[in-house]
Amino acid sequence: MPLTLEQYVEKIHDRPDLPWPPAPKIDAPKAKPSLTAMPVKCVFWTVYGTLVSVPTGDIQFEHEKDFITAAALEKVIKEFKMWNSMSRKPGAPSEYMRELFNKALSTLRLTGGGGEKFPEVQTERIWDDIVKKLQQKEYTFDAMQYGTLAEYVKKIAYFYHASIQGAGAYPGAADALTQLAGRGVAQGLLADGQCFTAAQLERCVRQQNPDFELRAVIPPAMQIVSSDRKARKPSDTLFKAAAELAAGRGFVPAQVLHVGSNLERDIGPAKRHGFRTALFAGDKTSLTATGEQLKDPALRPDALVTELPQVLELVE
């Protein structure tokens, strides 16, 4: 039986032969929480920069330092035994792989919008394009271990991204998520992310609570992730989907709280859709808010939290 994506994520991080970049250090800004209880029945979370800390506060397709991207691509080539089906062009194998990667990424960025104002690139489609090119040169993979091609490329995508960006749950993430669930508050994800984001979130939170199960706290049906919708924040596509999910559970927008760290991409759109809002100001890296923006009624959040468990104080 092939490993699920969640099982694969757990398994590869247990291997001593695979080095991974550490989670970034948190640089807390000087901020004072502003907490007012609200009639909240449902909380939608941003993932990267709010629940999960990553360098730059968001998922990147390439590292800002070329040698780190090159090392990650070399690691992918070795792990998934791609070398024998690759071109023998002069230069390091990673150079040829990067050429394939950039070409696929550029093509998706040019053609994948479909009329969406803020389109999202699905990282597994990059690897799907690469693997299909390699298969023309007799490349094969172990379907018993990795599953179908569609499942395989998602695992490659996680492996690559985890190799260029360390990730870790923000302090108190496990407590905030489990205690809200214990109070009967519905929870969902309303986040920019990729096919592996839910699995990565679960793994990160399990470093704080080994018994944590994401689907028990945030069911898959309540997980709105940009790659699934082919649209990224601040697209109305995502926020309309959240409003529809909340309505399906009997919640009006004023009973929904959205927690995020970016005023323009998280807070502003959520306010336009009638949601309550909380700005997470727990890390300078992910916090995107200026003094002028905070004075703007269209962007000013209803609450400001500096530690994730403070969200509990916002729920009446």
Side-chain angles (χ1 to χ4, degrees):
M1 177 74 77
L3 295 174
T4 66
L5 182 57
E6 291 77 11
Q7 291 169 335
Y8 175 76
V9 169
E10 288 289 341
K11 182 177 180 179
I12 62 172
H13 284 281
D14 288 336
R15 283 173 47 186
D17 61 314
L18 288 176
W20 302 100
K25 292 183 179 180
I26 297 169
D27 184 8
K30 292 182 179 179
K32 183 179 180 180
S34 176
L35 310 172
T36 302
M38 296 174 275
V40 171
K41 303 294 184 182
C42 176
V43 176
F44 277 103
W45 296 92
T46 301
V47 177
Y48 299 111
T50 300
L51 290 173
V52 174
S53 172
V54 291
T56 74
D58 203 357
I59 284 287
Q60 302 295 309
F61 286 92
E62 296 178 280
H63 197 278
E64 60 183 359
K65 296 179 179 178
D66 286 346
F67 76 90
I68 293 180
T69 299
L73 292 172
E74 291 279 3
K75 188 175 170 185
V76 168
I77 293 167
K78 180 180 179 181
E79 174 69 13
F80 298 100
K81 301 178 176 60
M82 296 174 169
W83 172 237
N84 287 336
S85 299
M86 289 174 60
S87 169
R88 294 300 186 268
K89 290 183 178 181
S94 63
E95 293 179 9
Y96 175 62
M97 181 60 76
R98 191 164 191 171
E99 182 181 318
L100 295 178
F101 185 93
N102 288 339
K103 185 176 181 179
L105 176 59
S106 297
T107 299
L108 288 170
R109 282 176 169 164
L110 287 171
T111 63
E116 169 61 47
K117 188 176 180 181
F118 302 99
E120 177 67 281
V121 172
Q122 297 172 308
T123 186
E124 71 269 26
R125 290 186 63 190
I126 297 173
W127 292 104
D128 180 78
D129 183 82
I130 292 172
V131 169
K132 285 178 178 175
K133 282 185 170 64
L134 297 181
Q135 286 179 325
Q136 295 173 10
K137 299 180 181 180
E138 300 183 348
Y139 177 70
T140 60
F141 62 90
D142 185 354
M144 291 296 293
Q145 178 181 359
Y146 294 112
T148 64
L149 175 61
E151 295 170 320
Y152 182 50
V153 294
K154 289 180 180 181
K155 288 160 186 167
I156 300 175
Y158 175 76
F159 188 95
Y160 168 72
H161 281 278
S163 297
I164 63 171
Q165 287 184 287
Y170 279 105
D175 288 342
L177 292 167
T178 55
Q179 289 187 46
L180 279 174
R183 290 189 184 185
V185 178
Q187 295 181 82
L189 302 182
L190 175 51
D192 286 343
Q194 291 293 332
C195 59
F196 52 76
T197 291
Q200 187 173 42
L201 170 61
E202 181 171 72
R203 181 189 177 274
C204 288
V205 177
R206 279 183 175 172
Q207 307 309 300
Q208 297 177 359
N209 178 359
D211 296 326
F212 179 81
E213 290 188 13
L214 182 63
R215 64 176 51 246
V217 175
I218 303 178
M222 290 289 283
Q223 297 174 14
I224 300 170
V225 179
S226 61
S227 64
D228 293 335
R229 307 283 171 159
K230 299 181 182 179
R232 61 185 290 107
K233 291 179 173 179
S235 174
D236 281 341
T237 299
L238 301 176
F239 292 89
K240 286 180 180 178
E244 290 172 1
L245 278 179
R249 294 195 167 214
F251 306 133
V252 297
Q255 294 175 313
V256 177
L257 174 69
H258 183 41
V259 187
S261 57
N262 188 303
L263 287 181
E264 291 187 332
R265 288 166 47 194
D266 299 324
I267 305 303
K271 288 175 70 72
R272 287 199 303 273
H273 285 81
F275 297 163
R276 309 277 182 161
T277 56
L279 180 68
F280 174 61
D283 188 357
K284 289 181 181 178
T285 300
S286 64
L287 179 62
T288 305
T290 66
E292 286 300 313
Q293 287 177 326
L294 287 168
K295 294 176 184 177
D296 184 349
L299 297 176
R300 188 167 57 242
D302 297 305
L304 187 148
V305 299
T306 55
E307 299 175 1
L308 292 176
Q310 292 168 352
V311 173
L312 294 161
E313 297 182 45
L314 306 180
V315 180
E316 286 183 348

